[in-house]
Amino acid sequence: KSTPSPKPSLLNMKNHLFIGLGGQGGNTIAALRKVIESRDNDVKTLKDKGQQWDFLYIDSSNSDLNVRKTWTHFGKDLSLQPDSFLYLKEDGTSIDADSLALKPDVAPWIGDISILKRFLSGTQGIVGANQRRRLGRLLFARNAERIRVACQKKISPMLKASNRCAIHIFASLAGGTGSGCLIDLITTLRTAYPNASTDDGFPIFLYL
């Protein structure tokens, strides 16, 4: 006697947050928004079933936001709202290595503070994390609370309908913001939402 196949848990998940990390992650979010825009009937069906979704783009460069082609679909502007983009260099590129070295969750992987300072001295004026994972991770460390709050502000409103949310993260492992921030972002999310169940929790899916 055959056993009925279980329903895919992901299809039963009512809430979804799509997070783009770094330039590649942002481009993926833009492409996803174009797909959604081109499938009106499917979107209506999902919304009628109570599905909800939102977007968050985290990057150390804001240059990709200004590429009109990336965020335009047949003349329609699909640019993200201001609360959906978190710029990690909002207050400049300066990073206080001494202060970061005092943080117990950062200090273990910083290494020799003098070497770090020399490394940081060469990052002034560059765009993004310039393919440097450690700079991406330092930027995350400096913005950890802003990132945590930004994710929470996206997820919390959706929980009013269903206390669960699938979190989808898009990033490149080539080096830079995406690969530098990835592990810390996952840790931050799992700390805030410890239930990893794909049926009634907050599963995290990676697209790398």
Side-chain angles (χ1 to χ4, degrees), residues 55-174:
F55 303 91
L56 180 61
Y57 173 23
I58 303 171
D59 203 353
S60 56
S61 170
N62 57 10
S63 59
D64 287 336
L65 290 178
N66 301 319
V67 181
R68 186 172 182 274
K69 181 180 179 181
T70 302
W71 300 95
T72 302
H73 183 69
F74 289 100
K76 183 173 182 178
D77 185 3
L78 301 179
S79 298
L80 296 170
Q81 295 298 314
D83 68 341
S84 293
F85 176 63
L86 190 61
Y87 182 37
L88 300 183
K89 289 185 178 179
E90 191 169 85
D91 57 350
T93 60
S94 177
I95 295 177
D96 186 344
D98 291 311
S99 295
L100 287 175
L102 296 176
K103 294 178 177 292
D105 53 342
V106 177
W109 56 265
I110 279 184
D112 189 323
I113 194 68
S114 63
I115 294 177
L116 176 62
K117 287 181 178 180
R118 289 200 299 272
F119 163 73
L120 291 174
S121 68
T123 65
Q124 302 304 314
I126 67 172
V127 176
N130 200 29
Q131 302 302 303
R132 292 179 172 179
R133 289 185 179 88
R134 181 171 289 193
L135 178 55
R137 197 171 189 202
L138 286 170
L139 287 169
F140 187 100
R142 191 183 66 168
N143 291 277
E145 181 62 14
R146 291 178 63 218
I147 294 171
R148 185 192 68 78
V149 171
C151 292
Q152 185 178 48
K153 285 184 176 179
K154 288 293 182 180
I155 293 175
S156 293
M158 293 190 284
L159 301 185
K160 295 176 182 178
S162 177
N163 190 34
R164 53 187 177 175
C165 181
I167 303 168
H168 309 265
I169 302 175
F170 304 92
S172 166
L173 298 181

